[in-house]
Amino acid sequence: MTRAVEHTFSTFCHISEYGDHGYQDLHTLVAISQPLNLWAPSSMLIRHVGRIPPRDFIRYVDQGFIRILARDRWLTDRRFRDEHPWSAARWDREIDDALRSILRNDQGLESSQRRVVSAPPEDGERRATEYLESNPLQITYWNRAFRSRNAARKVPVGTLETATRYTSEGPAAVAKWILRDAFNHADAFALSGARAPLLLSPSDLRFIRLITNAPPTTGMAATSLAPSATTASSQARIEHMARQLIDVLRHLDIQAGRRSLDAFIRGEGRQELLVWIDAVCNQYQYHPRREIDGVIIRELRQQLSRARLQGPFGPFRARTALPTVVGAVDLAATAISFVLSPGEPLNAIGMAAGVFGIGNGLAQQMGWVPSTFDGPQWPFLYSYASRAKKSRLHRMIDTLTMYRT
């Protein structure tokens, strides 16, 4: 592994369950995770849908930011992939050849240290068959959910597509393939060792409720079907907070526009974000659910509203005007710009600073020389690829004010 990572916040995502939307969010998943455990990702969707270029994706796996888990045939067998019924499973020579090489290079390491992990053969189909044999009422229950008008809101889209391929084999087959996916997803999450799953769709949570509200069972418990149902309540809260953070990053993406996020992912911004989300999760993981709703945006707004930019004229708060002298110098600088060098305001600012004897002070207040900022820097590094300064602090506060939970 080529990089030592300072902080961890391990997550797991069965990304292909979410289709294009999951891959469009891939950069945000990487931003909030260390590492991000991905189950059997589609290289075609990484290349054509996601915002992370293939060579960067490979580098993030090599550096331990992303960890890949899948069945051995998915990782090593090009023919299997190319003949797979899901068109997005096709082998990509650049991405999949690199992942196969990393898999082989890591063979001698402990599973937890491997960057690409070959999972044991699936056991979900056998377990689903035994489960339904012991609990035949579940067949009707799951078929009712499958055939309902709002099935896509109750069952993850990937699971729904799998079950649809077996409708000709009857109700028992439909129920079996739904539960087979549930068992396999639970096993994959356990294999990853992640702190929390990333559930990107409301259908995930409704699916978990379907499982926990299923008819009484004998033998195998219903709660063994879903990762979130088997974990402590604190883990479910961590997942909820991570999902809130993803929504906030989506909002920042819209406001900031398109930009390269490679510097953020590789740099201090992501490290600070990891420390920040870990601290918030540790603080709130045992709080009542009602206190968890909206906690990410609430904490971020409060921290930024209290934050100060420390400049030569003293602290500047997000909602406090700069000292009058700064406004006077700005005005003088504008006048000099007009008289001496129209169209070259930077030269004018340099002249104004010399005339008024302020030196770096004015430039610092205007953002050209770093100020001391006691709030979180990661929102600025994520959105603008630079640290907080006066204009961007105002803009960030306004952007977060527009966010609706």
Side-chain angles (χ1 to χ4, degrees), residues 287-366:
H287 283 229
R289 176 61 183 250
R290 65 180 180 276
E291 296 180 14
I292 302 299
D293 292 338
V295 68
I296 296 298
I297 188 64
R298 187 168 64 246
E299 282 288 321
L300 190 54
R301 284 170 176 166
Q302 289 175 356
Q303 291 180 25
L304 288 175
S305 67
R306 294 193 301 263
R308 296 182 301 174
L309 276 166
Q310 186 72 39
F313 302 106
F316 164 70
R317 289 187 180 274
R319 292 301 184 187
T320 304
L322 283 173
T324 304
V325 66
V326 177
V329 174
D330 283 341
L331 180 60
T334 303
I336 293 172
S337 174
F338 179 76
V339 174
L340 298 181
S341 186
E344 297 188 25
L346 289 178
N347 290 340
I349 291 298
M351 178 66 72
V355 170
F356 290 94
I358 307 177
N360 284 342
L362 175 60
Q364 187 175 55
Q365 290 288 351
M366 298 183 73

Side-chain angles (χ1 to χ4, degrees), residues 372-390:
T372 301
F373 181 64
D374 63 2
Q377 289 280 6
W378 68 260
F380 303 93
L381 294 167
Y382 181 83
S383 300
Y384 314 125
S386 64
R387 291 177 166 273
K389 56 185 179 182
K390 182 189 75 170

Side-chain angles (χ1 to χ4, degrees), residues 194-318:
R195 185 175 183 186
L198 295 177
L199 307 179
L200 306 184
S201 169
S203 66
D204 290 317
L205 302 178
R206 297 187 186 103
F207 188 54
I208 291 171
R209 283 198 290 270
L210 276 176
I211 291 171
T212 56
N213 293 332
T217 63
T218 59
M220 191 182 300
T223 53
S224 65
L225 296 174
S228 292
T230 63
T231 57
S233 60
S234 64
Q235 187 182 76
R237 285 166 170 75
I238 291 171
E239 183 281 322
H240 184 36
M241 287 183 276
R243 190 157 25 90
Q244 291 179 50
L245 180 56
I246 291 170
D247 289 340
V248 170
L249 294 183
R250 286 171 178 161
H251 179 72
L252 293 179
D253 281 341
I254 294 170
Q255 300 301 319
R258 295 192 66 84
R259 67 235 181 266
S260 172
L261 289 170
D262 183 56
F264 176 85
I265 290 173
R266 291 185 295 109
E268 62 180 323
R270 177 170 169 273
Q271 279 298 312
E272 183 185 310
L273 174 53
L274 293 171
V275 173
W276 189 88
I277 182 60
D278 190 41
V280 173
C281 288
N282 287 337
Q283 180 179 350
Y284 286 96
Q285 62 181 320
Y286 299 112
H287 283 229
R289 176 61 183 250
R290 65 180 180 276
E291 296 180 14
I292 302 299
D293 292 338
V295 68
I296 296 298
I297 188 64
R298 187 168 64 246
E299 282 288 321
L300 190 54
R301 284 170 176 166
Q302 289 175 356
Q303 291 180 25
L304 288 175
S305 67
R306 294 193 301 263
R308 296 182 301 174
L309 276 166
Q310 186 72 39
F313 302 106
F316 164 70
R317 289 187 180 274

Side-chain angles (χ1 to χ4, degrees), residues 117 187 197 236 262 379:
V117 179
D187 290 343
D262 183 56

